[in-house]
């Protein structure tokens, strides 16, 4: 086993922009690059290996075929599939108001995982906003009525979004990324999304985009969020730079590392995902070196020692 440098699947959703192509260098024939699925073993879009003897295979083919599940680590054993999906998202326009189910609901209605996620705001235009839950607690009856009479946005909780902000979005939380925001998203490996309101936009087929009202009514937590957001997360300084804790839950552990030197990694019970947000570095392991730059995604198998040397900003995710 060796560290896998990955090529993402690019999604051209109608609300996306071109920053992922212009600033991160992703190659695609699509005019819009709304999302780059940087670490993905998902039926709706895989990541592809681009280095070493396994180049051109999908991440899923390597992990579950060539490696037969080894390299994921002990912590992955509680999941019935690859557990994470990591994306870069360029919201040139506002996303739909939406909600995701938990695991129990998702398994009953279509299978697969539910979707809890977290956002790290890489950049945001001035006066950008994120819809994060509701202003106050409301009854199921009021929530349903407001969806049907078009007044749902009046009770939604809009908050400013600034570079460096963190938002933890548990399943069942109503949410929407606002216009002009660039985000790194770490989530459960799921594409289960229930669209509640979409500003009457027309899809590629010329028809209004599908809504999922009944499902949203079933799963939405009709309350004001209690989890801290914004400039949150413990920050520690080391000789190699700074480490900020972005999220730590039973699904994933996420840290932002500002590297100005050298750091060594070796997670015995979990694989590591390294998502490079800026700068350059070299990843060295027993067998070679991999140059890294902005936009790169590296999958590091569990228990594999790795040394990262350089000057860069990286999101490190483990289970």
């Amino acid at each position: 086993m060796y560290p896998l440098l990955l090529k993402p699947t690019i999604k051209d959703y109608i609300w996306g922009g071109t920053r992922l192509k212009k600033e991160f260098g992703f190659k695609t024939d699509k005019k819009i690059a709304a999302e780059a699925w940087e670490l993905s073993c998902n039926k709706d879009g895989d990541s592809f290996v681009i280095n070493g003897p396994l180049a051109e295979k999908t991440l899923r083919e390597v992990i579950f075929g060539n490696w037969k599940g080894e390299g994921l680590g002990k912590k992955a054993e509680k999941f019935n599939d690859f557990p994470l999906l990591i994306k870069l998202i360029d919201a040139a326009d506002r996303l739909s108001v939406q909600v995701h189910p938990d695991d129990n609901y998702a398994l009953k209605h279509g299978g697969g995982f539910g979707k809890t996620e977290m956002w790290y705001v890489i950049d945001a235009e001035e006066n950008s906003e994120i819809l994060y839950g509701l202003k106050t607690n409301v009854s199921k009856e009021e929530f349903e009525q407001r969806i049907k009479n078009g007044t749902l946005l009046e009770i939604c909780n809009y908050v400013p979004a600034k570079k460096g902000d963190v938002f933890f979005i548990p399943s069942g939380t109503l949410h929407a990324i606002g216009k002009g925001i660039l985000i790194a998203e770490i989530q459960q490996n799921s594409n289960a999304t229930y669209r509640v309101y979409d500003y009457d936009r027309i899809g590629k087929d010329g028809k209004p985009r599908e809504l999922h009202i009944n499902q949203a009514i079933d799963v939405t937590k009709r309350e004001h969020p209690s989890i801290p957001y914004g400039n949150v997360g413990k920050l520690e300084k080391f000789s190699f730079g700074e480490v900020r804790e972005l999220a730590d839950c039973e699904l994933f552990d996420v840290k932002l590392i500002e590297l100005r030197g050298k750091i060594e990694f070796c997670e015995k019970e979990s694989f590591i995902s390294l998502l490079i947000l800026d700068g350059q570095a070299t990843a060295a392991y027993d067998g070679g070196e991999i140059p890294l730059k902005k936009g790169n995604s590296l999958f590091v198998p569990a228990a594999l020692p790795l040394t990262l040397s350089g000057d860069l900003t990286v999101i490190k995710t483990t289970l």
Side-chain angles (χ1 to χ4, degrees), residues 120 163 235-244 255-263 277-279 310-315:
Y120 174 75
K163 181 178 180 179
L235 180 67
E236 294 185 89
K237 295 186 178 182
F238 299 90
S239 59
F240 58 78
E242 297 181 348
V243 178
R244 179 182 170 195
K255 293 179 171 61
L256 180 74
I257 301 173
E258 297 284 356
L259 180 65
R260 304 294 180 261
K262 182 185 293 186
I263 185 173
L277 301 185
D278 203 5
D311 188 341
L312 84 171
T313 302
V314 56
I315 289 181

Side-chain angles (χ1 to χ4, degrees), residues 1 20 24 77 88 118 120-121 140 174 180 184 201 257:
M1 290 185 287
L20 298 182
F24 288 83
E77 293 177 359
L88 291 175
M118 67 137 288
Y120 174 75
V121 180
K140 183 175 182 178
L174 200 69
R201 284 187 290 203
I257 301 173

Side-chain angles (χ1 to χ4, degrees), residues 216-273:
I217 292 171
D218 285 344
V219 306
T220 299
K221 298 174 182 177
R222 302 174 307 278
E223 57 195 34
H224 184 72
S226 59
I227 300 173
Y229 59 84
N231 186 23
V232 297
K234 182 180 178 182
L235 180 67
E236 294 185 89
K237 295 186 178 182
F238 299 90
S239 59
F240 58 78
E242 297 181 348
V243 178
R244 179 182 170 195
E245 186 175 277
L246 303 184
D248 183 9
C249 64
E250 69 276 6
L251 297 168
F252 42 71
D253 180 281
V254 187
K255 293 179 171 61
L256 180 74
I257 301 173
E258 297 284 356
L259 180 65
R260 304 294 180 261
K262 182 185 293 186
I263 185 173
E264 296 180 354
F265 298 125
C266 186
E267 297 284 344
K268 293 184 179 180
E269 295 189 342
S270 172
F271 65 86
I272 299 172
S273 165

